[in-house]
Amino acid sequence: MSALAGVLRRIGAMTVDGLWRLGFATRFFLTLLRYSGQSFRRLPLTIREIYFSGVLSLLIILVSGLFVGLVLGLQGYDILQRFGSSDALGIMVALSLLRELGPVVAALLFASRAGSAVTAEIGLMKTTEQLQAMDMMAVNPIARVAAPRFWGGVISMPLLAAMFSAMGIFGGWLIGVVAIGVDDGAFWSQMRASVDFRHDVLNGVIKSFVFGAAVSLIAVFEGYDCQPTAEGVSRAITRTVVSSALAILALDFVLTSFMFRGL
Amino acid sequence: MSRTTLDLWVGVFVALGFAALVFLAMKVGGSSELSGASTYAVTAPFDNVGGLKPRAPVKSAGVVVGRVGDIHFDSRNFRAIVRIDLGEHYKFPRDTSASILTSGLLGEQYIGLDPGADTETLKDGDVLEITQSAVVLEKLIGQFMFNKAAETPSRP
């Protein structure tokens, strides 16, 4: 009897904790938006964060994009040539990259490369009481630390996803046209005939924008909310990567079901 | 890192990102010329639209001149009503006929427009009276077999 009560109490505590954190995260997000204008007035702060989360992620994004495109080229050719339609390789590579793989894989890489770094940085600032010190000096830590990192991520993410897709299409072209020998003209013209700018390219950009906002918010919040100990920081970083990945994949399903439901 | 190098790198990053977007827009996404341009809509009733889908191309002389808007069922005449969005700068005679064709053996279905000879041109909201339905493979085979059976002289 008491064991059952213990289990129920644990479930209750977890629910209350989860709700409390969710509410805190929402309030944190609203405060962040409110102080965004204040942080934009000092633009170099945001530019510095674009450098750290965007420019430094460039290498991993470009190399991964290239390899994803190479694999898509090989697999796509293998399947399409069974139906005698290897000319459609361009369509397959472009659509799968623009609609799904580009935004999602770029966001997953971004979460593990830049999101974790942001959480670690803010978490360590909290552990060493730098955030409290800022508060003492009447410098708002949300405007000075959190908002620039959030907006740096939001701005970087769509650009990184676009580069990922472009690099992937280049990789697919390398395998399909240069290595295997699919007709160059057919590759590009079929791709252009069935990829629509608004429907495919722009929806991909919207997706990556949403993912960028989700990942950046999770990263900043986990850092801001972590236990101020070494263990707490490490846990916060793990949580950032795990919940970012889950949020990206769940949001991707929701967005896809709104954007591409086959009409 | 000094401020100027930082700015330079961020500038390079943003320029690369926009270059990738422009590449995707120009080189990869090509068929957007009609999605932004203004269109006028005409409707066409069909007995059978087969596998025609919304957003399928509408072609005349092989050139894409519009897109299929939406397809719905008219429960009074038991026919399918297809809305066709044509580009503003493409003018067609009033007696233009529409037929549902297939590109290739297994390709997607599209609407082909054959211009008539009327001097007046189609306006927004007009109805294309002359239409030809999609070819349904099962019916075609059935007809062929029926004809074949009728041809063969019955042996005593």
Side-chain angles (χ1 to χ4, degrees):
Chain A
M1 195 64 205
S2 65
L4 184 69
V7 168
L8 283 175
R9 206 173 294 133
R10 270 186 71 101
I11 293 173
M14 273 164 68
T15 314
V16 171
D17 271 5
L19 271 178
W20 194 86
R21 264 178 71 83
L22 199 66
F24 187 54
T26 314
R27 225 184 57 184
F28 177 80
F29 181 51
L30 293 178
T31 329
L32 196 152
L33 287 185
R34 219 180 77 200
Y35 289 114
S36 287
Q38 203 174 321
S39 77
F40 272 135
R41 242 170 284 151
R42 296 182 61 189
L43 205 59
L45 288 177
T46 310
I47 289 178
R48 191 172 156 272
E49 295 313 321
I50 295 177
Y51 177 80
F52 280 120
S53 51
V55 179
L56 295 183
S57 308
L58 211 55
L59 193 67
I60 187 175
I61 289 284
L62 290 181
V63 173
S64 317
L66 183 68
F67 278 112
V68 167
L70 294 175
V71 169
L72 270 180
L74 283 174
Q75 293 283 14
Y77 182 78
D78 180 47
I79 292 169
L80 288 174
Q81 56 98 18
R82 292 182 203 180
F83 305 103
S85 49
S86 53
D87 285 349
L89 184 66
I91 303 176
M92 205 206 98
V93 171
L95 284 186
S96 47
L97 275 167
L98 287 172
R99 289 180 171 185
E100 298 295 339
L101 286 174
V104 170
V105 178
L108 289 174
L109 291 171
F110 182 77
S112 32
R113 162 68 187 74
S116 57
V118 165
T119 307
E121 200 183 358
I122 299 180
L124 205 66
M125 277 181 168
K126 190 177 179 186
T127 311
T128 51
E129 297 181 336
Q130 291 181 45
L131 295 182
Q132 274 159 298
M134 275 181 197
D135 234 352
M136 294 288 225
M137 293 188 287
V139 175
N140 189 331
I142 291 186
R144 177 69 177 74
V145 174
R149 281 167 179 74
F150 174 75
W151 286 110
V154 171
I155 294 167
S156 307
M157 189 56 233
L159 300 173
L160 287 172
M163 285 185 239
F164 186 95
S165 297
M167 206 62 194
I169 289 167
F170 174 67
W173 176 82
L174 270 186
I175 283 291
V177 175
V178 178
I180 296 177
V182 175
D183 185 54
D184 192 27
F187 184 88
W188 291 110
S189 67
Q190 295 236 8
M191 186 193 293
R192 292 188 58 156
S194 39
V195 176
D196 186 270
F197 176 69
R198 221 171 36 173
H199 191 243
D200 299 316
V201 179
L202 225 54
N203 274 346
V205 172
I206 292 171
K207 263 188 181 179
S208 56
F209 182 78
V210 173
F211 297 161
V215 170
S216 308
L217 179 65
I218 290 171
V220 171
F221 174 71
E222 290 291 358
Y224 200 78
D225 185 50
C226 77
Q227 300 283 333
T229 57
E231 199 195 346
V233 173
S234 107
R235 252 193 229 149
I237 296 168
T238 311
R239 268 209 306 266
T240 296
V241 176
V242 172
S243 28
S244 297
L246 289 177
I248 290 164
L249 295 171
L251 278 173
D252 182 50
F253 170 69
V254 174
L255 289 172
T256 301
S257 63
F258 275 106
M259 290 169 174
F260 311 104
R261 56 171 76 207
L263 291 154
Chain B
M1 182 171 297
S2 77
R3 175 72 199 286
T4 44
T5 28
L6 197 102
D7 281 358
L8 177 73
W9 274 108
V10 171
V12 168
F13 170 68
V14 172
L16 267 179
F18 277 101
L21 268 180
V22 168
F23 165 77
L24 293 178
M26 295 293 158
K27 189 88 179 164
V28 178
S31 64
S32 56
E33 69 172 298
L34 279 162
S35 57
S38 56
T39 57
Y40 65 101
V42 297
T43 53
F46 286 97
D47 290 328
N48 190 339
V49 292
L52 193 72
K53 296 273 190 308
R55 278 174 43 79
V58 177
K59 298 182 186 179
S60 186
V63 180
V64 178
V65 294
R67 298 245 165 233
V68 171
D70 75 337
I71 302 169
H72 65 267
F73 186 66
D74 175 15
S75 48
R76 267 192 313 171
N77 303 321
F78 308 112
R79 300 180 86 184
I81 307 293
V82 176
R83 201 187 78 226
I84 299 172
D85 295 322
L86 293 168
E88 192 76 76
H89 48 286
Y90 297 113
K91 298 288 178 207
F92 286 96
R94 291 266 315 263
D95 57 346
T96 294
S97 67
S99 41
I100 296 178
L101 306 168
T102 311
S103 55
L105 197 59
L106 294 165
E108 53 167 1
Q109 289 192 303
Y110 65 96
I111 290 185
L113 294 181
D114 290 311
D118 206 316
T119 46
E120 279 183 63
T121 54
L122 284 171
K123 297 187 304 294
D124 192 61
D126 277 355
V127 178
L128 297 177
E129 297 293 349
I130 315 163
T131 61
Q132 194 190 339
S133 292
V135 174
V136 179
L137 208 59
E138 288 88 337
K139 278 188 184 170
L140 204 68
I141 294 170
Q143 215 167 27
F144 173 74
M145 280 165 54
F146 189 75
N147 289 348
K148 209 71 182 157
E151 266 173 29
T152 25
S154 52
R155 285 179 188 168

